[in-house]
Amino acid sequence: MHATPKKFFNSRIATVLEAMEIEEEAVIVNSSRLKSVVWNDFDRVKKGDTFVAICRHCKRKLSGSSTSGTSHLRNHLIRCRRRSNHDISQLLTRGKKKEGPLAISNFSFAQEQINGDAVSVVRTKFEQGHTRDGLFNNGIVNFDNRRSRLDLARMIILHGYPLSMVEHIGFRIFVRNLQPLFDIATFDGVEADCREIYLMERQKVYEELDKLPGKISLSADTWTASGDAEYLCLTAHYIDDSWHLKKKILNFLTTDPSQTEDMLSEVIMTSLRNWDIDRKLFSVTFDNYATYDKIVSRIREQLCQHRFLYCDGQLFDTRCAANVIKLMVQDTLETASQIIHKVRESIRYVRSSQATQEKFTEMAQIAGVDSQKCLNLDNSFYWNSTYIMIETALEYKDAFPLLQEHDSRYAMCPTVTEWDRISAIASFLKLFVEVSNVFAGSKYPTANTYFPDICDIHLQLIEWCQNSDDFVNSLALKLKSRFDEYWKKCSLALAIAAILDPRFKMQLVKYYYPQIYGPSAPDCINIVSDCMKALYNGHAIYSPLAPNGQAEASQVGGANNDRLTGFDKFIYETSVSNNIKSDLDNYLEEKLFPRKDDFNILNWWKVHTPRYPILSMMARNILGMPMSKASLEYVFNTGNKALEPYRSSLRSDTLQALMCAQDWMRDEFEDSKASSSTVTLALCYDAK
């Protein structure tokens, strides 16, 4: 028990004696040895052989004998009207007429929104009078310690708080004062609660993936942490039955740098089998490193053995578009490092003193520089800041030589040739920044959005390779060599995804390919067209929506021992030979859909599914492929995704539980927020 100032203690005794209306020989007993938290709200007073417990809020007297227990004291605290945090029901219904019992049991953690719209929805739920578990009943609170424990664990998971916060003295004092009846969990206890929540949420995700009407694409990310620890994050990407693009983290695994490609491929296959989605896999997306080639090849080989992939996995291996841009940026910055260093040091010198800045401003006026931008150094952790630094320096390039003439201490001014090369570097980086913004600008961009920007990069690289400056030409050839490796793996998937955009269809491929391939363009277009038809035929043969109604059991990923799969193919080919137009034929022959900024391709396919039953199934699988897996948070970052130090010290199973459950709960949180906004809007319309 904390020491109490003498004056305050005497006042407390006087108040207690007044409440008891007994003589002064009654004394307050030191309750520091009493274990129950209820004594935080009661004074235990002894007179003779009698013990009395006096509520510090309302001064009511109850038995304080050790043989009486503390249940009656807890019940009093629940009903005490003067206890500041008691009457929650009154706070919720302040200013409203009470119309019966209240309940908050159907108010789940994910629905606790901070914005005003969500609060109004929650309040509406309170006032509807639904009851469950008796959490609120006619203003009487039945405290649920177990539920509060899980709410605390959900809060820690959702916001990424360290598990050790439950042992922080400030947090424990806060909770004790807020709710003395709450039994605060220990570190081990809240760790177990988090794993329990993970298992409950995992079952929900498992059931969702099991019921998907289409295929699943997988992306793999590498995370790092202090101590050279490495982690592999596997994420499922798919389009659900409502035509919404979704993604869910499946596993967050600790990896060993000594693991071979075969071992890593088996780790991924084990994860797929544990989730029972190996039969549903459509593609995988890795970063653009040769070390992943063998891993992808090994996984594809196993899936093809069981006939789980369409067209023998022709589109199975895709690489991250944002990652190839980041690698080209790294090549650019490394090649131009000496020139960029001169720019950086020039800016550092100008900003070194007030006098130098004033002198530079004077030189800029003499040179006729008309710019309102400020010279700033870049942040080495974000490559787009280097582009901004260079772009601003180019606007002042005529002022730097003048400063060198008038200030002998300034000796880092780039030459005229170097300024020309800096201008070329800025052009490279500008294109990469613009395309990266497009890739990361949407939360879940569908696969059709990438083809035009990737083609523009391709065309620009071809042009840069023809530059007469040896420096620019050499750099462009280096970038194109890296880009060509990416294009070889991904161009087919990019083109087919663009064809499934009703605003472009084959016309976008026919527009770009002659510019890229020249005389070879017709052959390249035919390759895309043939692959498109082969994919469609693969979906048609195994689709329960096909005109001839093949059994679903024989679809890809279905029974391997179906001896009539060949018969299904024969029936389909017979219908084709009878000149019956397919979904694909009808789709390609119809005119293009008008290009609009607010066009939603998933809504379009949702509406047109009855018209194109087989092609829409193919569109669901293709458009769900993650052509880029970098969010806006990481697209300009020069390093890898890094784990917080406090998380890297956790057990591997606990870490996976926290990372996965956080991802799933945030997704539910966003859905709930959107739902709350919709309900609030509906309530507003009803009020009108």
Side-chain angles (χ1 to χ4, degrees):
M1 185 173 183
H2 296 291
T4 306
K6 184 176 181 180
K7 183 177 180 180
F8 176 79
F9 189 71
N10 292 337
S11 175
R12 169 62 59 82
I13 292 177
T15 302
V16 171
L17 295 177
E18 179 182 355
M20 292 188 65
E21 298 178 356
I22 60 178
E23 293 77 12
E24 292 197 5
E25 56 265 23
V27 295
I28 297 180
V29 179
N30 186 344
S31 59
S32 61
R33 295 183 180 179
L34 300 174
K35 295 182 179 180
S36 177
V37 295
V38 299
W39 294 109
N40 292 335
D41 294 89
F42 284 92
D43 286 307
R44 194 174 188 224
V45 179
K46 180 180 180 182
K47 181 188 176 186
D49 296 329
T50 304
F51 289 90
V52 178
I54 301 178
C55 178
R56 294 178 182 176
H57 307 288
C58 68
K59 310 308 176 189
R60 181 173 175 179
K61 300 183 290 292
L62 298 128
S63 173
S65 172
S66 59
T67 60
S68 301
T70 57
S71 297
H72 64 297
L73 303 182
R74 291 175 182 269
N75 292 334
H76 171 74
L77 286 178
I78 292 173
R79 295 168 174 78
C80 181
R81 294 292 179 180
R82 294 193 179 184
R83 185 163 174 256
S84 59
N85 66 336
H86 161 64
D87 201 355
I88 302 173
S89 61
Q90 282 192 353
L91 293 175
L92 290 171
T93 58
R94 183 174 296 169
K96 295 182 178 291
K97 185 176 180 180
K98 199 169 184 180
E99 296 181 356
L102 294 172
I104 64 167
S105 58
N106 61 339
F107 176 52
S108 67
F109 185 88
Q111 291 170 312
E112 292 182 32
Q113 312 296 326
I114 297 175
N115 60 63
D117 291 343
V119 171
S120 66
V121 175
V122 171
R123 182 171 292 173
T124 300
K125 290 186 176 183
F126 277 128
E127 293 166 359
Q128 288 173 346
H130 299 303
T131 60
R132 191 187 74 185
D133 299 335
L135 292 180
F136 279 87
N137 188 12
N138 291 324
I140 298 176
V141 181
N142 292 325
F143 177 67
D144 189 337
N145 188 76
R146 178 60 180 159
R147 173 174 176 166
S148 295
R149 280 272 300 264
L150 293 179
D151 281 348
L152 173 61
R154 288 189 182 96
M155 178 190 74
I156 290 173
I157 293 171
L158 183 62
H159 300 290
Y161 298 142
L163 300 182
S164 58
M165 70 174 290
V166 297
E167 297 180 341
H168 295 172
I169 185 63
F171 175 76
R172 297 182 77 86
I173 292 174
F174 168 74
V175 173
R176 286 293 185 220
N177 290 331
L178 186 67
Q179 177 50 271
L181 303 182
F182 181 45
D183 182 17
I184 305 177
T186 62
F187 181 96
D188 292 339
V190 76
E191 184 181 35
D193 291 341
C194 289
R195 287 200 297 269
E196 180 181 344
I197 291 171
Y198 161 74
L199 293 175
M200 291 189 294
E201 296 295 328
R202 187 187 189 280
Q203 183 62 28
K204 295 179 185 177
V205 176
Y206 182 91
E207 293 174 0
E208 181 177 351
L209 297 180
D210 184 60
K211 297 176 182 177
L212 285 178
K215 292 282 190 173
I216 296 170
S217 291
L218 189 75
S219 68
D221 280 303
T222 300
W223 287 60
T224 59
S226 57
D228 297 327
E230 292 186 359
Y231 305 89
L232 181 65
C233 180
L234 302 177
T235 305
H237 304 255
Y238 56 92
I239 295 175
D240 65 14
D241 55 356
S242 298
W243 284 90
H244 293 144
L245 190 59
K246 298 284 190 68
K247 66 175 183 176
K248 304 279 187 184
I249 293 179
L250 301 180
N251 291 94
F252 198 87
L253 307 168
T254 304
T255 59
D256 187 340
S258 63
Q259 287 180 304
T260 64
E261 287 89 347
D262 287 342
M263 294 170 66
L264 286 173
S265 64
E266 192 55 39
V267 167
I268 295 173
M269 283 302 303
T270 299
S271 172
L272 296 174
R273 295 188 191 103
N274 288 341
W275 283 95
D276 196 23
I277 59 172
D278 51 332
R279 59 191 171 84
K280 287 191 171 187
L281 197 62
F282 187 79
S283 72
V284 293
T285 301
F286 284 82
D287 287 333
N288 296 267
Y289 299 112
T291 52
Y292 294 122
D293 291 347
K294 190 173 181 180
I295 295 175
V296 174
S297 177
R298 176 77 171 161
I299 296 172
R300 175 166 48 196
E301 179 182 338
Q302 292 191 49
L303 296 177
C304 285
Q305 287 177 354
H306 299 284
R307 295 185 295 175
F308 286 165
L309 298 178
Y310 288 111
C311 299
D312 295 325
Q314 196 168 1
L315 303 186
F316 183 72
D317 183 9
T318 58
R319 301 301 168 104
C320 178
N323 176 255
V324 75
I325 290 177
K326 183 183 291 189
L327 293 176
M328 289 193 291
V329 168
Q330 291 176 359
D331 291 339
T332 302
L333 297 180
E334 289 174 4
T335 303
S337 59
Q338 293 183 355
I339 303 177
I340 295 174
H341 175 70
K342 279 191 172 184
V343 174
R344 189 178 290 116
E345 291 304 312
S346 295
I347 295 174
R348 181 175 282 113
Y349 180 79
V350 169
R351 293 172 54 87
S352 62
S353 68
Q354 184 65 31
T356 307
Q357 291 189 55
E358 292 175 356
K359 188 68 175 178
F360 183 77
T361 301
E362 181 183 345
M363 297 299 102
Q365 292 175 349
I366 294 174
V369 175
D370 183 19
S371 176
Q372 302 299 318
K373 296 181 180 178
C374 296
L375 292 172
N376 287 303
L377 293 171
D378 59 337
N379 183 337
S380 60
F381 294 105
Y382 296 93
W383 61 265
N384 59 328
S385 70
T386 303
Y387 161 68
I388 295 172
M389 179 187 73
I390 293 173
E391 184 187 44
T392 304
L394 282 168
E395 297 187 14
Y396 289 92
K397 69 176 184 177
D398 294 333
F400 286 102
L402 292 178
L403 180 64
Q404 189 175 39
E405 292 177 9
H406 292 81
D407 189 343
S408 58
R409 295 177 300 170
Y410 174 48
M412 294 295 291
C413 182
T415 64
V416 174
T417 301
E418 287 175 331
W419 278 118
D420 291 339
R421 291 175 178 175
I422 291 170
S423 179
I425 294 168
S427 299
F428 286 25
L429 295 179
K430 180 181 180 181
L431 176 62
F432 296 150
V433 167
E434 291 174 347
V435 173
S436 296
N437 277 323
V438 172
F439 289 171
S442 176
K443 185 179 181 182
Y444 302 130
T446 47
N448 61 298
T449 61
Y450 295 89
F451 184 72
D453 292 294
I454 294 297
C455 286
D456 286 340
I457 291 177
H458 200 164
L459 293 173
Q460 191 63 65
L461 288 171
I462 294 173
E463 181 181 335
W464 285 335
C465 287
Q466 299 170 356
N467 194 290
S468 58
D469 187 287
D470 291 339
F471 174 85
V472 176
N473 177 269
S474 175
L475 174 58
L477 288 172
K478 183 178 182 180
L479 299 183
K480 191 172 186 304
S481 175
R482 185 181 291 280
F483 178 84
D484 287 344
E485 294 177 6
Y486 167 81
W487 181 259
K488 182 179 179 180
K489 283 181 168 57
C490 302
S491 60
L492 203 53
L494 291 166
I496 290 174
I499 294 171
L500 290 169
D501 189 327
R503 299 170 298 173
F504 304 119
K505 301 183 181 179
M506 283 296 298
Q507 303 309 313
L508 197 62
V509 177
K510 293 178 180 179
Y511 167 74
Y512 275 112
Y513 271 32
Q515 300 178 65
I516 294 173
Y517 293 109
S520 302
D523 293 336
C524 296
I525 293 173
N526 287 335
I527 291 174
V528 174
S529 179
D530 291 343
C531 183
M532 184 81 177
K533 293 175 182 177
L535 277 171
Y536 176 82
N537 292 341
H539 282 78
I541 291 171
Y542 300 111
S543 171
L545 301 175
N548 297 290
Q550 288 87 344
E552 188 173 358
S554 65
Q555 66 181 339
V556 172
N560 296 327
N561 58 354
D562 185 356
R563 299 181 182 278
L564 293 178
T565 301
F567 173 75
D568 295 334
K569 184 176 182 181
F570 166 75
I571 292 296
Y572 172 74
E573 291 174 348
T574 302
S575 65
V576 172
S577 65
N578 291 332
N579 296 321
I580 299 175
K581 280 193 175 183
S582 65
D583 290 359
L584 179 60
D585 295 329
N586 292 328
Y587 171 78
L588 294 177
E589 289 176 3
E590 292 174 356
K591 65 180 182 179
L592 300 181
F593 192 80
R595 285 201 301 128
K596 298 178 181 179
D597 293 336
D598 59 347
F599 175 73
N600 187 319
I601 190 170
L602 297 183
N603 282 345
W604 191 92
W605 278 106
K606 180 179 180 180
V607 170
H608 290 80
T609 292
R611 189 172 187 179
Y612 310 110
I614 300 173
L615 191 61
S616 64
M617 183 172 65
M618 176 177 160
R620 188 194 299 272
N621 295 333
I622 297 290
L623 297 177
M625 297 172 65
M627 295 298 182
S628 176
K629 53 190 180 62
S631 62
L632 189 60
E633 179 183 0
Y634 293 103
V635 72
F636 297 114
N637 198 307
T638 55
N640 293 323
K641 294 182 178 180
L643 200 64
E644 298 89 341
Y646 72 86
R647 282 194 167 180
S648 60
S649 62
L650 296 171
R651 291 169 26 180
S652 59
D653 59 337
T654 300
L655 176 61
Q656 174 168 262
L658 292 176
M659 297 297 290
C660 293
Q662 181 185 55
D663 176 73
W664 304 334
M665 289 169 61
R666 281 180 175 173
D667 190 43
E668 289 181 6
F669 183 85
E670 293 298 325
D671 291 344
S672 178
K673 188 161 60 174
S675 175
S676 296
S677 300
T678 303
V679 173
T680 304
L681 184 61
L683 291 174
C684 291
Y685 280 119
D686 290 342
K688 293 179 181 179

